Amino acid sequence: MKILGLDIGIASIGFCLLENNRGETPKILSIGVRVFPQAENPKNGKSLAKPRRDARLARRRIQRKARRLKSIRKLFVQYQLIHQEEKDSFNKNITGKITPWHLRKLALNQILNGRELAICL
């Protein structure tokens, strides 16, 4: 029976091919290593995949945020804090002193309407 063992690394692959018959000592048929140039920028040693990975992570972060905002808007409509028609624009016309922080301060002393509560959240 022949056995192939592999050691796969970042910049190399080591291998060993053994012949193992029952009752006998295993024999090494072939052994070696193949070394590859590392995938890094030779000037500064940084990974070549880093810019691509950073862009992918940024895209995913933006998509997750958009999904969360869409879900929360859906909940606001479901619990009748805002109307279906103003689902995408309930916080667009905020001006001057009416900010989420101002509304949170007001909420300590008075009851807010649904739109104001949605803006706070």
Side-chain angles (χ1 to χ4, degrees):
M1 170 177 21
K2 292 184 181 175
I3 300 171
L4 175 65
L6 296 174
D7 178 21
I8 301 173
I10 294 174
S12 64
I13 296 177
F15 64 92
C16 180
L17 184 61
L18 297 174
E19 185 172 23
N20 189 10
N21 295 325
R22 293 183 187 221
E24 295 180 13
T25 306
K27 289 190 246 177
I28 297 174
L29 298 178
S30 181
I31 190 168
V33 65
R34 296 289 186 245
V35 180
F36 309 109
Q38 291 185 352
E40 63 183 26
N41 189 340
K43 292 181 183 176
N44 57 14
K46 291 186 179 180
S47 171
L48 293 175
K50 185 174 179 1
R52 200 172 68 236
R53 181 175 56 243
D54 290 344
R56 182 178 60 245
L57 292 174
R59 278 193 312 272
R60 288 180 180 171
R61 190 171 38 250
I62 290 167
Q63 288 169 352
R64 283 193 297 267
K65 183 177 180 180
R67 254 193 318 267
R68 280 195 309 269
L69 288 173
K70 186 176 180 180
S71 296
I72 195 119
R73 284 191 205 110
K74 195 174 178 181
L75 283 173
F76 289 162
V77 170
Q78 180 182 343
Y79 288 102
Q80 299 173 354
L81 294 177
I82 58 174
H83 297 292
Q84 178 69 31
E85 305 83 47
E86 64 179 354
K87 179 175 74 169
D88 295 325
S89 63
F90 73 93
N91 60 349
K92 296 281 191 232
N93 298 328
I94 300 173
T95 58
K97 290 174 26 179
I98 311 238
T99 64
W101 301 107
H102 176 73
L103 290 173
R104 288 177 183 186
K105 182 180 173 186
L106 283 178
L108 295 173
N109 300 318
Q110 69 186 44
I111 296 175
L112 301 179
N113 65 29
R115 182 176 179 268
E116 292 170 339
L117 181 59
I119 292 169
C120 284
L121 295 174

